[in-house]
């Protein structure tokens, strides 16, 4: 081993165990890849298309104040070689797999901010593998990349030796900028969390000057790097902005919002949007009704967050409650400060989303924090004199650890087993439609999301979804005015009776779909 130089690579046996965990992850995702290679979602299509724009030399057109650029940039090496639509999905999934692998290194680093014995730490890291695999396979999304970046950021800012060198502050600032390049929410999350965590360090450490230096250095690096992208999107928008996703989503949940415009505006040119259907800006302070609406959003957001955490594991709230109890029961001293960090992280992460809208993937980071917090609590339990005095304490340790692992991995494992070949039907339907010669401009009466997937595979131009109660005359006028080549009628719609003057191209009963040739 010495001759092979492995002692430098594996300093302890736990380094070898971690390598085996990485191997387990690689084998797992490699096995599941063939079952999830068709997985597709609307956001994923956008990020793939942004990457393709860059590869085609249209960098300016790829700049968006809504979509973070980093995930698209990371896809570029794969998309450069993998050209077809299906290969685009492969590229996105391969990118996610690599991000998941890097995340495991971050989790190990972060785990050292939670006190536990090395054998237990190894099992806790192993517990995160099914969770990370679930993140990788379930969506094409920057939220996995956000989790990856934030694990390294939290590992640095939770460090009790954080103030020992200004490099920690600089590193945090760099990671904060990466979080912003991932999602615009990273901008506000980093500023809020970095200020609060530095305040904690300032109040609990002796060298307060060093903490201030780290804070200043971190913010400076963060703003310098972030300003590059802010300049790009501000120049393109003609106004100063760090992103529009927050404003748009806030307008989307407004009291008078009709939801996404594409579901209500009817058939339209894909390059044009009827502004009458766009969500309107609103303020919770402009009227009492609006304020009540905001309170209702917060209440619903809090309920949904609780539901998501309980869905992840029935241990979620027990872990949080025990953490809070350990924090508040005497004695209260600086040694308990490590308990504060994950609780504050959870609060900041969810607070920004609760006032607007909460989606499960937005709070994936909390899943990992809960696993690490659970490992810390198990370690506390195993070190109690009362526990060690029990006759079968080793057996009890085994039962506790195995039970914990099962309860923390049950949801992701069930998902991965229950959603094999997700998206394959869309790919098969697209191939079938290509056989019928469907091309050009298409429109639909329903299933706009499915139509987006078909458009991605087939290279058609989607002109939207007709309004629910549109008359036969208005529908035919829209179809002819927009130059629609094929119209899709899903389900038992009365619109089939409108299509008597058009040629029926396909009647796919297995999909409950009829397609008509218009022009």
């Amino acid at each position: 081993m010495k001759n092979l130089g492995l002692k430098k690579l594996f300093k302890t046996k736990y380094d070898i165990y971690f390598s085996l965990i990485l191997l387990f992850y690689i084998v797992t995702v490699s096995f599941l890849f063939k079952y999830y290679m068709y997985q597709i979602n609307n956001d994923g299509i956008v990020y793939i298309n942004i990457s393709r724009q860059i590869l085609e030399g249209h960098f300016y057109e790829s700049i968006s104040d809504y979509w973070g650029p980093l995930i698209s940039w990371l896809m570029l090496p794969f998309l450069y070689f993998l050209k077809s639509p299906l290969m685009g999905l492969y590229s996105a999934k391969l990118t996610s797999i690599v991000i998941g692998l890097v995340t495991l290194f971050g989790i190990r680093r972060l785990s050292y901010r939670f006190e536990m014995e090395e054998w237990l730490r190894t099992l806790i890291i192993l517990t995160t593998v099914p969770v990370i695999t679930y993140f990788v396979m379930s969506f094409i999304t920057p939220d996995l990349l956000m989790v990856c970046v934030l694990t390294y950021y939290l590992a640095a800012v939770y460090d009790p030796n954080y103030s020992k060198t200004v490099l920690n502050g600089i590193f945090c600032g760099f990671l904060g900028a990466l979080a912003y390049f991932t999602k615009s929410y990273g901008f506000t999350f980093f500023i809020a969390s970095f200020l609060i965590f530095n305040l904690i360090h300032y109040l609990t450490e002796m060298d307060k000057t060093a903490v201030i230096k780290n804070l200043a250095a971190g913010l400076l690096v963060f703003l310098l790097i972030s300003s590059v992208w802010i300049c790009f999107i501000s120049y393109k928008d003609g106004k100063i902005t760090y992103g529009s996703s927050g404003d748009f989503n806030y307008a989307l949940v407004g009291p008078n919002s009709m939801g996404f415009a594409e579901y209500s505006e009817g058939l339209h040119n894909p390059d044009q949007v009827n502004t009458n259907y766009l969500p309107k800006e609103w303020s919770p302070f402009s009227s009492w009704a609006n304020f009540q609406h905001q309170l209702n959003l917060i209440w619903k957001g809090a309920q949904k967050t609780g539901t998501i955490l309980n869905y992840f594991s029935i241990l979620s709230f027990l872990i949080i409650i025990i953490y809070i109890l350990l924090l508040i029961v005497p004695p209260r001293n600086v040694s308990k400060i490590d308990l504060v960090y994950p609780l504050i992280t959870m609060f900041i992460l969810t607070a920004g989303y609760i006032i607007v809208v909460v989606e499960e993937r937005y709070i994936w980071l909390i899943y990992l924090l809960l696993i690490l917090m659970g490992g810390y609590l198990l370690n506390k339990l195993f070190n109690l004199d009362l526990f060690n005095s029990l006759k079968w304490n080793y057996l009890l340790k085994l039962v506790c650890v195995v039970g914990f692992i099962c309860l923390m991995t049950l949801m992701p494992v069930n998902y991965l087993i229950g959603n094999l070949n997700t998206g394959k039907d869309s790919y098969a339907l697209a191939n079938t439609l290509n056989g019928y010669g469907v091309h050009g401009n298409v429109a639909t009466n329903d299933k706009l999301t499915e139509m987006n997937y078909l458009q991605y595979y087939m290279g058609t131009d989607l002109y939207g979804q007709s309004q629910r109660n549109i008359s036969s005359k208005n529908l035919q006028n829209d179809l002819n005015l927009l130059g629609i080549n094929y119209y899709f009628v899903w389900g038992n719609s009365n619109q089939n009776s409108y299509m008597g003057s058009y040629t029926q191209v396909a009647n796919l009963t297995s999909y409950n779909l009829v397609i008509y040739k218009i022009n």
Side-chain angles (χ1 to χ4, degrees), residues 5 25 134 153 190 229 245 286 288 338 348 399 407 414 470 483:
Y25 166 78
Y134 160 68
Y153 162 64
F190 174 76
W229 187 247
S245 59
S286 61
W288 174 244
D338 290 343
I348 298 173
V399 171
L407 291 174
N414 279 341
I470 192 170

Side-chain angles (χ1 to χ4, degrees), residues 464-478:
Q465 176 178 299
S466 60
Q467 293 178 321
R468 292 294 180 192
N469 298 317
I470 192 170
S471 67
S472 174
K473 180 180 179 180
N474 288 338
L475 176 59
Q476 293 182 44
N477 286 339
D478 287 346

